Amino acid sequence: MNRIPIWMDCDTGTDDSVALMLAHALPELDLQGISTVCGNTIQDNAFWNTHRINGLMGTSYPVYRGAEQPLMKPLVTAAHVHGENGLGDVELPVPEGAVIHEEPAWDAIYACAKRFPGELRLIATGPLTNVATAFIKYPDLPGLLHSLSVMGGSAGPGNDTPAAEFNFFVDPHAAELVMHSGVKLVMCGLDVTLQAYFSVEQLDELAASGTRAGWFTKACNMRAWKILSRFGMPGFCMHDSCPVMYVAHPELFEGEMAGVVVETRGTVANGKSVTDLYSDKQFPFKNAFVVLKVDREKFIAILRDCILSIG
Ligand code: BDR
Ligand code: CA
């Protein structure tokens, strides 16, 4: 099988960690490297957490540091959901001998795209600061990539504010720049990611499997669950696994091409992804494939098997 080259850009992060496990374990994918961005937690945590996940998986994917701050806004993190350390306050060791790469995220992404012209799928599961910075520095990068799959935005309501989804709220300027970069864009927003959840029983089963990866998947989510269960959520959303799964298994998803613009100047709607999906008024462009539906059972079955395969 010809494996698909991918690059992960993450604000690691509890569900980012699970997405990394999926990116590693899906046999269709060939993970080339990982870059880290501030978002759920500060850059330093995201960077070392990614090494910690390498340790958990027994892998040594190269990890590159990216942005410490959003392009134009002060950083807002999500410690209330992802814990002070970004991993739901679960302690994992940094693996011995973790290699520190000095090359910044944007240079590493570009170098990888040059190695796989037209083939590399860039997958972003945090604010789009690193991706936007790479696109500014390397204007040919959007055309060099096969595509960019993001977790971010929402055609409906938000989760960080009534209007905005967290990743786009943290760096709306980056999201808006990326929207109009010309890259082939797949947007996995809350519309689909809220359907992609583990039930409480399914997480219990993972934890009872006796595997470290299964244990961690439950443990890192327990802090968030105390908050999210109060809002009537049916389970633990694996937001960031959606764009990864989409690359390997697009047949599990449904969506539509749409015009999408990110609000950067508003106050109540700051960071809102405005789409023309449900409006008679259309933007004069269709710049993103907005994913709206997933076959949850198949999605969860594949994700569970991948986590368990890590051991
Ligand atoms: C997104 O926000 C973050 O907290 C998650 O990691 C995910 O990327 C969901 O809105
Ligand atoms: Ca994330």
Side-chain angles (χ1 to χ4, degrees), residues 178-196:
V178 167
M179 281 295 162
H180 302 286
S181 63
V183 74
K184 187 177 162 202
L185 186 64
V186 176
M187 178 178 128
C188 294
L190 296 175
D191 317 284
V192 64
T193 66
L194 288 173
Q195 299 165 37

Side-chain angles (χ1 to χ4, degrees), residues 11 15-16 40 78 82 125-126 151 159 165-167 190 239-240:
D11 57 336
D15 59 327
D16 303 79
N40 286 328
H82 295 263
T125 65
M151 190 287 131
N159 60 354
E165 181 280 329
F166 177 79
N167 289 336
L190 296 175
H239 301 283
D240 290 341

Side-chain angles (χ1 to χ4, degrees), residues 268-291:
V268 282
N270 196 257
K272 169 75 193 162
S273 44
V274 179
T275 81
D276 58 11
L277 275 175
Y278 307 116
S279 170
D280 290 343
K281 304 289 175 207
Q282 297 286 296
F283 291 123
F285 45 79
K286 299 279 178 215
N287 53 340
F289 182 74
V290 180
V291 184

Side-chain angles (χ1 to χ4, degrees), residues 190-208:
L190 296 175
D191 317 284
V192 64
T193 66
L194 288 173
Q195 299 165 37
Y197 62 87
F198 277 125
S199 67
V200 176
E201 295 72 30
Q202 285 167 331
L203 267 203
D204 287 345
E205 278 169 29
L206 277 175

